[in-house]
Amino acid sequence: MTNKKKKDIRSYDLPRLTDYFSTIGAKPFHAKQLYNWLWVKGCSSFDAMTNLSTEVRQILNKQFSIEKAIPYQTVSSKDGTIKVQFRFHDEVMAEGVLIPSGKRMTACISSQAGCALGCKFCATGDLGFIRNLSNAEIIDQVHHLNALAEKHYEHHLTNIVFMGMGEPLLNYDAVVEAVNIITDPSIIGMSPKRITISTVGITQAIEKLADDLPTVKLAISLHSADNDLRNYLIPVNKKYDLHQLTEALQRYHRKTGNRISIEYLLLNNINDTRNDAELLTEWTKSFPVKINLIPYNPVPGKNFTTSSNIDDFKSRLENKNLVVNVRVSRGNDINAACGQLINRNKK
Ligand code: SAH
Ligand code: SF4
């Protein structure tokens, strides 16, 4: 059992660990060894850290815990997608999904348990906000999904998308710290270009991201280029409206030079008309974009249905020379698809 009075050692960064090690008479390189066990290997027990002395391990055991996320339930889809429900030290849960696609192994991870933003179409939004995940809890998902990829597909993770539960830009510091650890060549070493942060558009955080993580990919969940309709679908649009979002993205693009991915969920007879395609085309003129059209994954109790106009909508955009992809939905049979993550099996 986790002793809740002990501090999770992973809340210490390397300089703080090094300071702490000097107070217990251990050498700085031991702090680095401990750091590697924690972050490179994802180790969950001080006793397994065999290159630390027994004495140091005993002190660590007395004073600290390692609050690793536990894979509480794992389900596999017939399409190869694997969904893991993680349980954290306080019994809060969140989900992560491994999506294999040829040689591409994508981890779709959560940044929060639940979400405060209540988008009309999203199952996670119905949960409300439970809490932010720590950088360690975000990285636990990465380590575990990587281990599953290696075990089942003999391939390590190639991509990470923050498209699980929660709004990553409302848990900004933990997400940036997690990405820094994932991309640090001496730790996990994944290229930042293979990481995508998806947001509904928290404008000041988008601008900060241009400074803090300029090479990470940015995806905007737009879903409508009409401000009133967007207010309805994504209530936080009332706070950060389309106009502010456009300006923030223009500044983001000027600073980073990045093309922006636009996620556009197609909801039947709601945002999939010819007029919607025209508004979207107009809206994307301010910066280079790639558009991902997402067929709606039905959520029980919601009145939305998957658009029957996807091909037409796509060709209207393509006729305007836009780069458009239709996202293939994965893991529907295990409720692992976009917007379906709600911890259905929570006890
Ligand atoms: N909060 C962030 C990231 C998590 S949601 C965001 O909204 O961008 C990841 C993606 O799933 C978003 O584009 C979201 O709009 C989409 N999504 C939500 N519910 C969905 C559903 N039922 N079917 C398909 N996509 C959905
Ligand atoms: Fe939150 Fe994203 Fe779902 Fe909206 S779509 S409720 S922002 S997780």
Side-chain angles (χ1 to χ4, degrees):
M1 279 294 280
T2 308
N3 181 340
K4 297 219 166 73
K5 289 198 189 79
K6 293 184 195 171
K7 206 171 168 56
D8 186 350
I9 188 103
R10 298 183 304 168
S11 62
Y12 281 29
D13 59 13
L14 186 57
R16 196 161 170 207
L17 274 184
T18 311
D19 282 352
Y20 170 75
F21 267 47
S22 70
T23 68
I24 61 167
K27 296 257 166 19
F29 78 88
H30 286 130
K32 180 73 179 147
Q33 284 172 330
L34 169 62
Y35 194 77
N36 285 349
W37 281 109
L38 293 172
W39 298 105
V40 181
K41 299 194 169 73
C43 184
S44 57
S45 138
F46 294 119
D47 294 327
M49 300 178 181
T50 44
N51 53 3
L52 296 181
S53 70
T54 318
E55 200 191 348
V56 168
R57 280 188 264 157
Q58 270 169 357
I59 298 173
L60 292 172
N61 264 321
K62 259 195 212 132
Q63 299 195 347
F64 293 98
S65 60
I66 304 174
E67 292 177 339
K68 280 283 279 190
I70 294 165
Y72 180 71
Q73 195 170 55
T74 304
V75 266
S76 299
S77 160
K78 53 181 188 297
D79 71 16
T81 299
I82 304 177
K83 177 170 82 167
V84 182
Q85 189 174 28
F86 291 96
R87 193 180 70 187
F88 304 111
H89 66 96
D90 53 1
E91 296 188 3
V92 161
M93 310 245 204
E95 295 174 341
V97 184
L98 174 68
I99 309 160
S101 170
K103 283 226 160 355
R104 183 184 275 243
M105 289 285 148
T106 303
C108 173
I109 57 174
S110 294
S111 55
Q112 300 181 313
C115 182
L117 299 185
C119 299
K120 282 282 181 304
F121 44 81
C122 173
T124 307
D126 287 348
L127 279 177
F129 177 65
I130 301 165
R131 71 165 171 81
N132 278 331
L133 302 189
S134 66
N135 63 337
E137 290 166 335
I138 293 170
I139 288 180
D140 283 346
Q141 298 172 64
V142 172
H143 273 134
H144 187 74
L145 294 172
N146 185 53
L148 285 183
E150 286 176 349
K151 177 172 165 202
H152 294 285
Y153 300 104
E154 289 162 9
H155 207 292
H156 54 76
L157 287 184
T158 59
N159 296 75
I160 294 174
V161 295
F162 281 86
M163 291 189 184
M165 301 168 86
E167 168 49 55
L169 295 191
L170 290 180
N171 186 15
Y172 189 86
D173 291 345
V175 167
V176 170
E177 272 171 48
V179 171
N180 282 334
I181 290 172
I182 295 165
T183 54
D184 184 332
S186 72
I187 310 179
I188 297 179
M190 179 180 277
S191 161
K193 292 188 185 132
R194 293 176 172 273
I195 300 177
T196 302
I197 295 181
S198 174
T199 175
V200 285
I202 311 299
T203 50
Q204 73 274 34
I206 289 174
E207 297 196 33
K208 221 166 163 283
L209 211 56
D211 295 320
D212 294 336
L213 299 175
T215 41
V216 160
K217 283 192 180 156
L218 178 65
I220 301 296
S221 295
L222 190 72
H223 312 330
S224 175
D226 173 275
N227 206 49
D228 291 335
L229 179 55
R230 198 166 192 267
N231 279 344
Y232 166 70
L233 294 172
I234 305 175
V236 78
N237 187 67
K238 292 181 195 132
K239 189 165 174 193
Y240 308 104
D241 67 16
L242 267 181
H243 179 68
Q244 290 174 53
L245 180 59
T246 313
E247 288 190 341
L249 290 174
Q250 282 171 329
R251 286 192 284 267
Y252 173 88
H253 172 67
R254 269 201 300 275
K255 267 196 182 161
T256 62
N258 294 346
R259 179 164 80 164
I260 296 157
S261 291
I262 303 299
E263 310 292 301
Y264 196 101
L265 187 58
L266 280 169
L267 303 163
N268 207 32
N269 293 327
I270 305 265
N271 63 353
D272 63 347
T273 64
R274 180 182 175 165
N275 184 44
D276 292 304
E278 278 165 15
L279 285 174
L280 176 57
T281 309
E282 210 37 53
W283 186 78
T284 55
K285 286 190 174 148
S286 311
F287 27 74
V289 297
K290 178 180 147 206
I291 299 177
N292 290 315
L293 297 177
I294 315 176
Y296 182 62
N297 299 311
V299 172
K302 299 205 180 276
N303 280 332
F304 300 110
T305 49
T306 308
S307 171
S308 52
N309 196 33
I310 297 179
D311 293 342
D312 178 67
F313 198 90
K314 181 174 185 249
S315 50
R316 283 182 192 284
L317 301 177
E318 282 172 341
N319 288 342
K320 302 286 179 188
N321 294 324
L322 287 163
V323 182
V324 191
N325 261 316
V326 177
R327 170 102 56 78
V328 180
S329 188
R330 302 287 303 271
N332 292 56
D333 55 331
I334 55 165
N335 292 313
C338 277
Q340 295 187 320
L341 302 182
I342 59 160
N343 296 329
R344 250 170 246 276
N345 304 303
K346 191 168 175 178
K347 293 255 157 70

